[in-house]
Amino acid sequence: MSRHYEAAIIALDETGAGYEVSGDRLRAQVASVAATLRGLGIGQGDRVVGYLPDTPHAIVAFLAAASLGAVWSVCGQDYAPRAAADRFGRLEPTVLIAADGYLFDGTTHDRRDAALELARSLPTLEATVLVDHVGLSWPQGDYPALTLAWEDAVTRTEQLDCTPVPFDHPLWVVFSSGTTGLPEGIVHGHGGVLLEQLKTLGLHSDLGPGDRLLWYTTTHWMMWNLVASTLLTGATTSTYDGSPAPSARPDVLWELAARHRVTLFGTSPQYLLGMAKFGIDPSVHDLSSIRAVGCTGSALPASAYPWVRDHMGERVQLASISGGTDVVSGFAGSAPTSRAGPGSCPRPIWASPRLRTTPKDFRWSTR
C-alpha cells in the first residue's frame, strides 16, 4: 500500500461502472476501520467475519482485521443465512460486517433481512457494521448487537498501527464447499500466506508494479484471497460485483479489461466455453494490454487454447492453474518463461518430486 496516488483497487460491476481506490485512500480506510474495530474491543485472535460481495469493502475490512492480529473470514451474499452461519458460527466471531445487497444479472438482490437473520444466528456477536453498497436503507430493527454504519467506520482520520504477530499466527479461515457435509474451516497463517502468495502471484504470474489484475471470483472462493493478495506485489487488483456474463452485456468483463488496461485476466473454463458457445468475440475490444489469461476452477478443455489464440493472438498466454482451498494457492500453474498447450501445465508451483499428475499422459511443458 505504498503506491500513494496510483490505483490500488479498481472497483467494478456488471453495469460497466467503476472507480479507483488509490494507495493512500486504501491505507486511510484501513486505518479508520482498524481503529473502529479496536474501539469495539477487537485484538489478537478475535474473529471478524464478512457477509459481503466482491467489493473494496471486503478487502478493506480484511486488511483492517489483519492489522490488529484478528482472524478474518468472509462469504458471499448468495449464501443463505443458514449456510453462512454454518461457517461463521464455528469461529465464534465478535464483529460481523454485512452489506445491504449485491448485483447479479440485472437484479439488485436485497440482503438486509438475510444479514439480520445471520446476525441473530451468531450469539457471540458484539457488533454489526452495516455497509450501504447498493443504496438500500437499513431498517430500524431489533438487532442482536450494537450496530454502526460502514460510512462512520471508514471515514475517521487515524494512523495505521499494525500489531506484530508470530509467523504462524492465524490470518484467515477459508471454508471448504460443504458438498459432502458441513463446511470445514481451514486456517492459514500470516507467514505461510505471505510466502505462498508472493510465489504464486509474484513469480508464476509475474505480477508487479504497473500490472493490473481482473479475476472474476466470489468472496467465498479461494480466488478472492488471491485477488486481495495481489496488493503484495505492488500491482493493482480489481473487485467485481455481478454476473460474469450478464444478459444485457455478456462481454462486459472484456470491456472492463480493455478500459482499465488489465494485464492479467482471470476466469474459469466454463466462462471461456460460454464465450465460444454464444459467439462472443472479445477482440472487438482493445485487449492489447493483456499478456495472460489465467484459468482455474475445473479442467481446461483443449478447445480453449485455439479460441484464446484466435480471439486474442499468439502473444497471450493461456495459463491453466490447479490449486486448492487447503493451501489457498496453487499446486501447478503458469510460468512466464514457458508456454503450455492442451493437456499440459507449465510448472509445478510447489517444485516437489512428490507432485503426481492425472491422467498418466499429463505432461509438464518444457517449451
Side-chain angles (χ1 to χ4, degrees), residues 240-295:
Y240 178 84
D241 183 29
S243 165
S247 303
R249 49 200 310 176
D251 64 342
V252 67
L253 285 176
W254 301 112
E255 175 189 334
L256 291 169
R259 184 187 311 162
H260 295 282
R261 308 302 295 165
V262 166
T263 55
L264 175 57
F265 181 90
T267 186
S268 68
Q270 291 304 313
Y271 178 80
L272 296 180
L273 289 174
M275 294 289 104
K277 178 180 179 181
F278 293 106
I280 304 299
D281 182 7
S283 66
V284 300
H285 306 287
D286 178 9
L287 301 176
S288 58
S289 62
I290 296 179
R291 67 166 185 265
V293 174
C295 202

Coordinates of all heavy atoms in Angstrom, one line a residue, residues 240-295:
Y240 N -15.2 -7.1 -8.4 CA -16.3 -7.1 -9.4 C -17.5 -7.6 -8.8 O -17.6 -8.7 -8.3 CB -15.9 -7.9 -10.6 CG -17.0 -8.0 -11.7 CD1 -17.1 -7.0 -12.7 CD2 -17.8 -9.1 -11.7 CE1 -18.1 -7.1 -13.6 CE2 -18.8 -9.1 -12.7 CZ -19.0 -8.1 -13.6 OH -19.9 -8.2 -14.6
D241 N -18.6 -6.8 -8.8 CA -19.9 -7.2 -8.3 C -20.9 -7.5 -9.5 O -21.2 -6.5 -10.2 CB -20.4 -6.1 -7.4 CG -21.8 -6.5 -6.7 OD1 -22.0 -7.7 -6.5 OD2 -22.6 -5.6 -6.4
G242 N -21.3 -8.7 -9.6 CA -22.3 -9.0 -10.6 C -22.0 -10.3 -11.3 O -21.1 -11.1 -10.9
S243 N -22.8 -10.6 -12.3 CA -22.6 -11.8 -13.1 C -21.4 -11.7 -14.1 O -21.2 -10.6 -14.6 CB -23.9 -12.0 -14.0 OG -23.7 -13.0 -15.0
P244 N -20.7 -12.7 -14.3 CA -19.6 -12.6 -15.2 C -20.0 -12.4 -16.7 O -19.2 -11.9 -17.5 CB -18.8 -14.0 -15.1 CG -19.9 -14.9 -14.6 CD -20.8 -14.1 -13.7
A245 N -21.2 -12.8 -17.0 CA -21.8 -12.6 -18.3 C -23.2 -12.2 -18.2 O -24.1 -12.9 -18.6 CB -21.6 -13.8 -19.2
P246 N -23.5 -11.0 -17.8 CA -24.9 -10.5 -17.6 C -25.7 -10.5 -19.0 O -25.0 -10.2 -20.0 CB -24.8 -9.1 -17.0 CG -23.5 -8.7 -17.4 CD -22.6 -9.9 -17.4
S247 N -26.9 -10.8 -19.0 CA -27.7 -10.9 -20.2 C -27.6 -9.6 -21.0 O -27.6 -9.7 -22.3 CB -29.2 -11.2 -19.9 OG -29.3 -12.4 -19.1
A248 N -27.6 -8.5 -20.4 CA -27.6 -7.2 -21.1 C -26.3 -6.9 -21.8 O -26.3 -6.2 -22.8 CB -28.0 -6.1 -20.1
R249 N -25.2 -7.4 -21.3 CA -23.9 -7.1 -21.9 C -22.9 -8.3 -21.5 O -22.1 -8.1 -20.6 CB -23.3 -5.8 -21.5 CG -23.4 -5.5 -20.0 CD -23.3 -4.0 -19.6 NE -22.2 -3.3 -20.3 CZ -22.0 -2.0 -20.2 NH1 -22.9 -1.3 -19.4 NH2 -21.0 -1.4 -20.7
P250 N -23.1 -9.4 -22.2 CA -22.3 -10.6 -21.8 C -20.8 -10.5 -21.9 O -20.1 -11.3 -21.3 CB -22.9 -11.7 -22.7 CG -23.5 -11.0 -23.8 CD -24.0 -9.7 -23.3
D251 N -20.3 -9.5 -22.6 CA -18.9 -9.3 -22.8 C -18.4 -8.2 -21.9 O -17.3 -7.7 -22.1 CB -18.5 -9.0 -24.2 CG -19.1 -7.7 -24.7 OD1 -20.1 -7.2 -24.1 OD2 -18.6 -7.2 -25.7
V252 N -19.1 -7.9 -20.8 CA -18.7 -6.7 -20.0 C -17.3 -6.9 -19.4 O -16.6 -5.9 -19.2 CB -19.8 -6.4 -18.9 CG1 -19.9 -7.5 -17.9 CG2 -19.5 -5.1 -18.3
L253 N -16.9 -8.1 -19.0 CA -15.6 -8.3 -18.4 C -14.5 -7.9 -19.4 O -13.5 -7.3 -19.0 CB -15.5 -9.7 -17.9 CG -16.2 -10.0 -16.6 CD1 -16.0 -11.5 -16.2 CD2 -15.7 -9.2 -15.4
W254 N -14.7 -8.3 -20.6 CA -13.7 -7.9 -21.6 C -13.7 -6.4 -21.8 O -12.6 -5.8 -22.0 CB -14.0 -8.7 -23.0 CG -14.0 -10.1 -22.9 CD1 -15.0 -11.0 -23.0 CD2 -12.8 -11.0 -22.6 NE1 -14.7 -12.3 -22.9 CE2 -13.3 -12.3 -22.7 CE3 -11.5 -10.8 -22.4 CZ2 -12.5 -13.4 -22.5 CZ3 -10.6 -11.8 -22.2 CH2 -11.1 -13.2 -22.2
E255 N -14.9 -5.9 -21.8 CA -15.0 -4.4 -22.0 C -14.2 -3.7 -20.9 O -13.5 -2.7 -21.1 CB -16.5 -4.0 -22.0 CG -16.7 -2.5 -22.0 CD -18.2 -2.2 -21.8 OE1 -19.1 -3.0 -22.1 OE2 -18.5 -1.1 -21.3
L256 N -14.4 -4.1 -19.6 CA -13.8 -3.5 -18.5 C -12.3 -3.8 -18.5 O -11.5 -2.9 -18.2 CB -14.4 -4.1 -17.2 CG -15.8 -3.7 -16.9 CD1 -16.4 -4.5 -15.8 CD2 -15.9 -2.2 -16.6
A257 N -11.9 -5.0 -19.0 CA -10.4 -5.3 -19.1 C -9.7 -4.3 -20.0 O -8.6 -3.9 -19.8 CB -10.2 -6.7 -19.5
A258 N -10.4 -4.0 -21.1 CA -9.9 -3.1 -22.1 C -9.8 -1.7 -21.6 O -8.8 -1.0 -21.7 CB -10.7 -3.1 -23.4
R259 N -10.9 -1.3 -21.0 CA -11.0 0.1 -20.5 C -9.9 0.4 -19.4 O -9.3 1.5 -19.4 CB -12.4 0.4 -19.9 CG -12.6 1.9 -19.5 CD -13.9 2.0 -18.8 NE -15.0 1.4 -19.6 CZ -16.2 1.1 -19.1 NH1 -16.4 1.3 -17.8 NH2 -17.1 0.6 -19.8
H260 N -9.7 -0.6 -18.5 CA -8.8 -0.3 -17.4 C -7.4 -0.9 -17.7 O -6.6 -1.0 -16.7 CB -9.4 -0.9 -16.1 CG -10.6 -0.2 -15.7 ND1 -10.6 1.0 -15.1 CD2 -12.0 -0.5 -15.9 CE1 -11.9 1.4 -14.9 NE2 -12.7 0.5 -15.4
R261 N -7.1 -1.3 -18.9 CA -5.8 -1.8 -19.3 C -5.3 -2.9 -18.4 O -4.1 -2.9 -17.8 CB -4.8 -0.6 -19.3 CG -5.2 0.6 -20.1 CD -5.5 0.3 -21.5 NE -4.3 -0.2 -22.3 CZ -4.4 -0.8 -23.4 NH1 -5.5 -1.1 -24.0 NH2 -3.2 -1.2 -24.0
V262 N -6.1 -3.9 -18.2 CA -5.7 -5.1 -17.4 C -4.6 -5.9 -18.1 O -4.6 -6.0 -19.3 CB -7.0 -6.0 -17.3 CG1 -6.6 -7.4 -16.7 CG2 -8.0 -5.3 -16.3
T263 N -3.7 -6.4 -17.3 CA -2.6 -7.1 -17.9 C -2.7 -8.6 -17.6 O -2.2 -9.5 -18.4 CB -1.2 -6.7 -17.3 OG1 -1.3 -6.7 -15.9 CG2 -0.9 -5.3 -17.7
L264 N -3.4 -9.0 -16.5 CA -3.7 -10.4 -16.3 C -5.2 -10.6 -16.0 O -5.8 -10.0 -15.1 CB -3.0 -10.9 -15.0 CG -3.3 -12.4 -14.6 CD1 -3.0 -13.4 -15.7 CD2 -2.4 -12.7 -13.3
F265 N -5.9 -11.3 -16.9 CA -7.3 -11.5 -16.9 C -7.5 -12.9 -16.4 O -7.0 -13.9 -17.0 CB -7.9 -11.3 -18.3 CG -9.4 -11.5 -18.4 CD1 -10.2 -10.4 -18.2 CD2 -10.0 -12.7 -18.6 CE1 -11.6 -10.6 -18.3 CE2 -11.3 -12.9 -18.7 CZ -12.2 -11.8 -18.6
G266 N -8.3 -13.1 -15.3 CA -8.5 -14.4 -14.7 C -10.0 -14.8 -14.8 O -10.9 -14.0 -14.6
T267 N -10.2 -16.1 -15.1 CA -11.5 -16.6 -15.3 C -11.6 -18.1 -15.1 O -10.7 -18.7 -14.5 CB -12.1 -16.2 -16.7 OG1 -13.4 -16.6 -16.8 CG2 -11.2 -16.9 -17.8
S268 N -12.6 -18.8 -15.6 CA -12.8 -20.2 -15.4 C -13.0 -20.9 -16.8 O -13.4 -20.2 -17.8 CB -14.1 -20.5 -14.6 OG -15.2 -20.1 -15.3
P269 N -12.8 -22.2 -16.9 CA -13.0 -22.9 -18.2 C -14.4 -22.7 -18.7 O -14.7 -22.5 -19.9 CB -12.7 -24.3 -17.8 CG -11.7 -24.3 -16.7 CD -12.1 -23.1 -15.9
Q270 N -15.4 -22.7 -17.7 CA -16.8 -22.6 -18.2 C -17.1 -21.2 -18.8 O -17.9 -21.1 -19.7 CB -17.7 -22.8 -16.9 CG -17.7 -24.3 -16.5 CD -18.1 -25.3 -17.6 OE1 -19.1 -25.1 -18.3 NE2 -17.4 -26.3 -17.7
Y271 N -16.4 -20.2 -18.3 CA -16.6 -18.9 -18.9 C -16.1 -18.9 -20.3 O -16.8 -18.4 -21.2 CB -15.8 -17.9 -18.0 CG -15.9 -16.4 -18.6 CD1 -17.1 -15.7 -18.4 CD2 -14.9 -15.9 -19.3 CE1 -17.2 -14.4 -18.9 CE2 -15.0 -14.6 -19.8 CZ -16.1 -13.9 -19.6 OH -16.2 -12.6 -20.1
L272 N -14.9 -19.4 -20.5 CA -14.4 -19.5 -21.9 C -15.2 -20.3 -22.8 O -15.5 -19.9 -24.0 CB -12.9 -20.0 -21.9 CG -11.9 -19.1 -21.1 CD1 -10.5 -19.8 -21.2 CD2 -11.8 -17.7 -21.7
L273 N -15.7 -21.4 -22.3 CA -16.6 -22.3 -23.1 C -17.9 -21.5 -23.5 O -18.4 -21.6 -24.6 CB -16.9 -23.6 -22.4 CG -15.8 -24.6 -22.3 CD1 -16.2 -25.7 -21.4 CD2 -15.4 -25.1 -23.6
G274 N -18.4 -20.8 -22.5 CA -19.6 -20.0 -22.7 C -19.4 -18.9 -23.8 O -20.3 -18.6 -24.6
M275 N -18.3 -18.2 -23.7 CA -18.0 -17.2 -24.7 C -18.0 -17.8 -26.1 O -18.5 -17.2 -27.0 CB -16.6 -16.6 -24.4 CG -16.5 -15.8 -23.1 SD -17.4 -14.2 -23.1 CE -18.9 -14.7 -22.1
A276 N -17.3 -19.0 -26.2 CA -17.3 -19.6 -27.5 C -18.7 -20.1 -28.0 O -19.0 -19.9 -29.1 CB -16.3 -20.8 -27.4
K277 N -19.4 -20.7 -27.1 CA -20.8 -21.2 -27.4 C -21.7 -20.1 -27.9 O -22.4 -20.3 -28.9 CB -21.4 -21.9 -26.2 CG -22.8 -22.4 -26.4 CD -23.3 -23.1 -25.2 CE -24.7 -23.6 -25.4 NZ -25.3 -24.3 -24.2
F278 N -21.6 -18.9 -27.3 CA -22.6 -17.9 -27.7 C -22.0 -16.9 -28.7 O -22.5 -15.8 -28.9 CB -23.1 -17.1 -26.4 CG -23.9 -18.0 -25.5 CD1 -23.4 -18.5 -24.4 CD2 -25.2 -18.4 -25.9 CE1 -24.2 -19.4 -23.6 CE2 -26.0 -19.2 -25.1 CZ -25.5 -19.7 -23.9
G279 N -20.8 -17.2 -29.2 CA -20.2 -16.4 -30.2 C -19.7 -15.0 -29.8 O -19.7 -14.1 -30.6
I280 N -19.3 -14.9 -28.5 CA -18.8 -13.6 -28.0 C -17.4 -13.5 -28.5 O -16.5 -14.3 -28.4 CB -18.8 -13.6 -26.5 CG1 -20.3 -13.8 -26.0 CG2 -18.3 -12.2 -26.0 CD1 -21.3 -12.8 -26.4
D281 N -17.1 -12.3 -29.1 CA -15.8 -12.1 -29.7 C -15.1 -11.0 -28.9 O -15.4 -9.8 -29.0 CB -15.9 -11.6 -31.1 CG -14.5 -11.4 -31.8 OD1 -13.5 -11.7 -31.1 OD2 -14.4 -10.9 -32.9
P282 N -14.2 -11.3 -28.0 CA -13.5 -10.3 -27.1 C -12.7 -9.4 -27.9 O -12.3 -8.3 -27.4 CB -12.7 -11.1 -26.1 CG -12.5 -12.5 -26.8 CD -13.7 -12.7 -27.6
S283 N -12.3 -9.7 -29.1 CA -11.3 -8.9 -29.9 C -12.0 -7.6 -30.4 O -11.3 -6.8 -30.9 CB -10.8 -9.7 -31.0 OG -11.7 -10.0 -32.0
V284 N -13.3 -7.5 -30.2 CA -13.9 -6.2 -30.6 C -13.4 -5.1 -29.6 O -13.6 -3.9 -29.9 CB -15.4 -6.3 -30.6 CG1 -15.9 -7.3 -31.6 CG2 -16.0 -6.6 -29.2
H285 N -12.9 -5.5 -28.5 CA -12.3 -4.6 -27.5 C -10.8 -4.6 -27.7 O -10.2 -5.5 -28.1 CB -12.7 -5.0 -26.1 CG -14.1 -5.1 -25.9 ND1 -15.0 -4.0 -25.8 CD2 -14.9 -6.2 -25.7 CE1 -16.2 -4.5 -25.6 NE2 -16.2 -5.8 -25.6
D286 N -10.2 -3.5 -27.3 CA -8.7 -3.4 -27.4 C -8.1 -4.1 -26.2 O -8.0 -3.5 -25.1 CB -8.3 -1.9 -27.4 CG -6.8 -1.7 -27.4 OD1 -6.1 -2.7 -27.6 OD2 -6.3 -0.6 -27.3
L287 N -7.7 -5.3 -26.3 CA -7.1 -6.1 -25.3 C -5.6 -6.2 -25.4 O -5.0 -7.2 -24.9 CB -7.8 -7.5 -25.3 CG -9.3 -7.5 -25.1 CD1 -9.8 -8.9 -25.2 CD2 -9.7 -6.9 -23.8
S288 N -5.0 -5.2 -26.0 CA -3.6 -5.3 -26.2 C -2.8 -5.3 -24.9 O -1.6 -5.7 -24.9 CB -3.1 -4.2 -27.1 OG -3.5 -2.9 -26.6
S289 N -3.4 -4.8 -23.8 CA -2.6 -4.8 -22.6 C -2.5 -6.1 -21.9 O -1.7 -6.4 -21.1 CB -3.3 -3.8 -21.6 OG -4.6 -4.2 -21.3
I290 N -3.4 -7.1 -22.3 CA -3.5 -8.4 -21.6 C -2.3 -9.3 -22.1 O -2.2 -9.4 -23.3 CB -4.8 -9.1 -21.9 CG1 -5.9 -8.3 -21.2 CG2 -4.8 -10.5 -21.3 CD1 -7.3 -8.9 -21.4
R291 N -1.5 -9.8 -21.2 CA -0.4 -10.7 -21.6 C -0.7 -12.1 -21.3 O -0.1 -13.0 -21.8 CB 0.9 -10.2 -21.0 CG 1.0 -10.4 -19.5 CD 2.4 -10.2 -19.0 NE 2.5 -10.5 -17.6 CZ 2.4 -9.5 -16.6 NH1 2.3 -8.2 -17.0 NH2 2.5 -9.8 -15.4
A292 N -1.7 -12.3 -20.3 CA -2.0 -13.7 -19.9 C -3.5 -13.8 -19.5 O -4.0 -12.8 -18.9 CB -1.1 -14.2 -18.8
V293 N -4.1 -14.9 -19.8 CA -5.4 -15.3 -19.3 C -5.3 -16.4 -18.3 O -4.9 -17.6 -18.8 CB -6.4 -15.6 -20.4 CG1 -7.7 -16.1 -19.9 CG2 -6.6 -14.4 -21.4
G294 N -5.5 -16.2 -17.0 CA -5.4 -17.3 -16.1 C -6.8 -18.0 -16.0 O -7.8 -17.4 -16.2
C295 N -6.7 -19.3 -15.8 CA -7.9 -20.1 -15.9 C -7.9 -21.2 -14.8 O -6.9 -22.0 -14.8 CB -8.1 -20.7 -17.3 SG -9.8 -21.2 -17.6

